[in-house]
Amino acid sequence: MKQIAVLSGKGGTGKTLIAASLVRFLKNDAVAVDADVEAANLGLFLSGRTVSEEALNAGQYAAVDDALCNGCGECARVCRFDAVRITAETARVDPMRCEGCRACLIVCAPGAIDTMPRQTGVLRVRECDSGILVEGELLPAQDNSGRMVTAVVDRARQIAAERGAPFVVVDGPPGIGCPVQACLSLTDQVLAVTEPTVSGFSDLQRLLDLCDLRGIPAVVLLNRSMPGWEHPPAVERLCEERHIPFLGRIPFCRDIPAASMRRLTPLDHPLTAPPLQEAFRALFEQINC
Ligand code: SF4
Ligand code: SF4
């Protein structure tokens, strides 16, 4: 099984549309993952019915046993998140403020504090036209999305193994932070989707640096290409300098936003489909499939 992560280093490059196109290109050979748990939207393009849903507990919060608490206030003193109030000789933790750092557990002499699992999100498995989609949804005011990403990707790999699917295609989160780091674990190939802007170029460099650091091969696809308006042909030059395969350019097409509102992807449009199919073929040559 090969895991392909579609990443961009920034939001708004069209990464999700390219990931949805790749899943559809592979038909039932891929299990799709929406690992952008803070704003999952791959399901908009791979519509299907939910077959299972479960709580994800990727965090914790402190809880006080009133019978053991002597109201000394040490927990409130060490809590940097102002999550503890001492009332009527006992401590009260506000779960919304508590970050689960466990500092209060260390200083509580009577051992009156313990941690409780916190539900941070939901993991959903959906049956779509193009196969299975696994997605995570972070609940409001929750964090630890890196752990959620790991849980979502692990479930997809498990399903792929059960079904004998040769690919897991991960629509990754933006940026290069903790959720992206989590998404890179067990990834065999990164498909870096960039756009012809200064910020797109800068964030592509950061992403490629991260792939280097993690020893994961990357290929680059330039989306929304506009000859004469690009900053710069620099993307191709960068790939040359770094010996990274450049898969090609997907032309800017005004129809794509309207088409995406009808759940269509660039693979469904006559202008963008041919270069995209060619780029995907080059991608699979790269990973020897
Ligand atoms: S440190 Fe422990 S005993 Fe002291 S107030 Fe907090 S919970 Fe109660
Ligand atoms: S676990 Fe950390 S954040 Fe939560 S109450 Fe204890 S010290 Fe405060």
Side-chain angles (χ1 to χ4, degrees):
M1 179 201 313
K2 297 277 185 193
Q3 184 171 313
I4 303 167
V6 184
L7 297 169
S8 58
K10 78 184 280 293
T13 63
K15 170 176 60 56
T16 297
L17 279 170
I18 299 295
S21 302
L22 180 56
V23 172
R24 288 167 68 160
F25 181 80
L26 285 167
K27 302 201 169 66
N28 283 314
D29 278 347
V31 171
V33 186
D34 195 337
D36 189 359
V37 300
E38 291 170 22
N41 60 356
L42 186 59
L44 294 176
F45 305 102
L46 306 175
S47 55
R49 70 185 179 95
T50 300
V51 291
S52 74
E53 189 169 289
E54 67 191 72
L56 276 178
N57 299 327
Q60 57 185 4
Y61 66 95
V64 176
D65 181 343
D66 288 349
L68 296 177
C69 174
N70 62 18
C72 69
E74 276 301 291
C75 49
R77 188 182 62 77
V78 298
C79 181
R80 297 185 62 189
F81 301 97
D82 200 20
V84 187
R85 291 277 174 276
I86 304 296
T87 56
E89 297 190 346
T90 187
R92 285 276 169 271
V93 177
D94 178 350
M96 291 302 284
R97 285 176 177 265
C98 176
E99 292 283 324
C101 71
R102 301 172 69 93
C104 54
L105 272 75
I106 295 169
V107 299
C108 179
I113 311 180
D114 205 347
T115 50
M116 306 291 286
R118 183 204 294 277
Q119 183 182 355
T120 51
V122 174
L123 183 151
R124 230 172 260 119
V125 178
R126 299 169 74 177
E127 185 108 46
C128 307
D129 293 346
S130 321
I132 293 288
L133 166 66
V134 183
E135 62 182 15
E137 181 189 336
L138 194 69
L139 295 179
Q142 302 304 324
D143 56 9
N144 270 330
S145 60
R147 282 192 198 168
M148 277 195 57
V149 168
T150 301
V152 171
V153 173
D154 283 353
R155 175 57 57 85
R157 291 180 66 91
Q158 182 194 343
I159 293 171
E162 286 164 8
R163 295 184 158 228
F167 297 102
V168 170
V169 173
V170 183
D171 179 20
I176 56 166
C178 171
V180 172
Q181 296 275 3
C183 167
L184 284 175
S185 295
L186 302 176
T187 286
D188 299 289
Q189 178 71 55
V190 167
L191 169 54
V193 179
T194 189
E195 61 179 16
T197 62
V198 173
S199 60
F201 184 71
S202 163
D203 290 346
L204 172 67
Q205 286 177 297
R206 295 192 311 162
L207 175 62
L208 296 179
D209 287 345
L210 179 62
C211 293
D212 264 358
L213 199 66
R214 298 283 300 262
I216 300 170
V219 291
V220 174
L221 180 65
L222 179 60
N223 194 24
R224 296 198 206 103
S225 171
M226 293 179 286
W229 284 93
E230 290 181 8
H231 169 81
V235 172
E236 273 176 275
R237 203 162 52 231
L238 175 75
C239 289
E240 258 177 53
E241 284 166 8
R242 298 180 72 139
H243 307 292
I244 291 173
F246 178 70
L247 295 190
R249 298 158 181 268
I250 309 304
F252 174 76
C253 174
R254 287 185 191 281
D255 298 342
I256 295 296
S260 64
M261 290 172 72
R262 290 181 285 125
R263 298 175 180 261
L264 300 174
T265 70
L267 204 60
D268 303 305
H269 194 281
L271 181 69
T272 47
L276 201 49
Q277 286 164 340
E278 203 173 309
F280 289 158
R281 280 192 283 270
L283 166 69
F284 291 111
E285 271 171 30
Q286 202 60 39
I287 49 184
N288 296 320
C289 294

